[in-house]
Amino acid sequence: MEFSSVARGCKSVIKCVGDIMGQCPTALRVPGGCNGACPVFKTDQYCCNSGNCGPTNYSMFFKDRCPNAYSYPKDDPTSTYTCPGGTNYKVVFCP
């Protein structure tokens, strides 16, 4: 998947070329996709409701395949992007 903004001041292109669907951990598989650990397990370890959390084996699955995507609560700042309101985006599912 490729996600890009047409506005200045935003990261130009964010790519995820990992095979998320094909390699999804069994516990996270849902019909037609791969869910995150928080909606599946609903625990503080995966949802970070207390604000005191770190990466897990499931978040690292996503981070390893999509390094510049925000993959867990409190992920590092290199994975957080902001763009001005009204920004237009282009999403390509099979780059």
Side-chain angles (χ1 to χ4, degrees):
M1 185 167 100
E2 182 177 297
F3 184 84
S4 59
S5 165
V6 296
R8 285 206 232 159
C10 296
K11 185 168 179 75
S12 57
V13 178
I14 300 168
K15 288 185 179 183
C16 179
V17 296
D19 183 10
I20 301 295
M21 299 282 284
Q23 298 174 355
C24 183
T26 302
L28 300 182
R29 290 182 186 199
V30 293
C34 187
N35 209 342
C38 178
V40 171
F41 300 110
K42 298 176 177 66
T43 65
D44 190 52
Q45 176 186 9
Y46 299 112
C47 300
C48 195
N49 296 321
S50 69
N52 187 13
C53 60
T56 67
N57 55 331
Y58 292 118
S59 68
M60 293 312 297
F61 164 80
F62 293 105
K63 194 69 165 179
D64 288 345
R65 287 152 184 82
C66 306
N68 62 354
Y70 192 82
S71 63
Y72 64 93
K74 310 289 184 182
D75 198 351
D76 65 81
T78 63
S79 302
T80 305
Y81 309 98
T82 57
C83 293
T87 297
N88 291 316
Y89 300 95
K90 177 175 81 171
V91 179
V92 179
F93 290 99
C94 298

